[in-house]
Amino acid sequence: MKEMTKKVVILNNFSSPYVSEAIVVLKDYNPKLEGKAIEDAEMIVSRYIERIEKNGQFVRTARKKSKLTKFIVGSIIAALIIAAVKCFI
C-alpha cells in the first residue's frame, strides 16, 4: 500500500518583508537529501523575492464586490439604458 503521508519542510527564517513563511511539500523524502531540499526551497523563495523587488510588484488579494455594490452599479446601468431608449422614442 502506498504511503499517503506527505513530507513537508517549513521555512520561517526570512528577512524579507514579503514572505514570512514557506511550506514546501516534498515528492519523496530522503533523509540524506534533506539539506538539498531545504537549499532548493530557500533558492525558490529568494528568487521570488528578488523578482518582486525588481519588478516592484506586490501580490494583492482580490476583493470581492459586495452585493450592494453590484446592485447599485446594475441599477445605474439600467437607468442609463432606459434613459437612452426614451431619448430615441
Side-chain angles (χ1 to χ4, degrees):
M1 181 176 202
K2 187 176 178 181
E3 184 178 345
M4 300 302 288
T5 304
K6 299 287 185 185
K7 308 296 185 205
V8 297
V9 174
I10 300 173
L11 304 171
N12 58 6
N13 193 12
F14 294 105
S15 60
S16 167
Y18 311 113
V19 178
S20 62
E21 193 170 74
I23 300 172
V24 180
V25 180
L26 303 174
K27 289 181 182 178
D28 297 311
Y29 179 72
N30 183 346
K32 295 177 184 176
L33 300 175
E34 186 174 337
K36 176 67 175 149
I38 293 171
E39 287 175 22
D40 286 348
E42 289 175 341
M43 181 183 61
I44 291 167
V45 172
S46 66
R47 285 184 181 170
Y48 173 75
I49 293 168
E50 288 172 7
R51 189 173 56 223
I52 287 175
E53 290 174 346
K54 177 183 172 186
N55 296 332
Q57 296 175 348
F58 300 100
V59 178
R60 295 183 184 175
T61 57
R63 289 190 286 169
K64 294 184 179 180
K65 292 182 181 176
S66 70
K67 291 181 182 179
L68 179 61
T69 304
K70 290 179 184 178
F71 176 74
I72 292 170
V73 170
S75 299
I76 292 171
I77 292 172
L80 291 173
I81 292 171
I82 292 170
V85 170
K86 285 185 179 182
C87 287
F88 292 110
I89 294 179

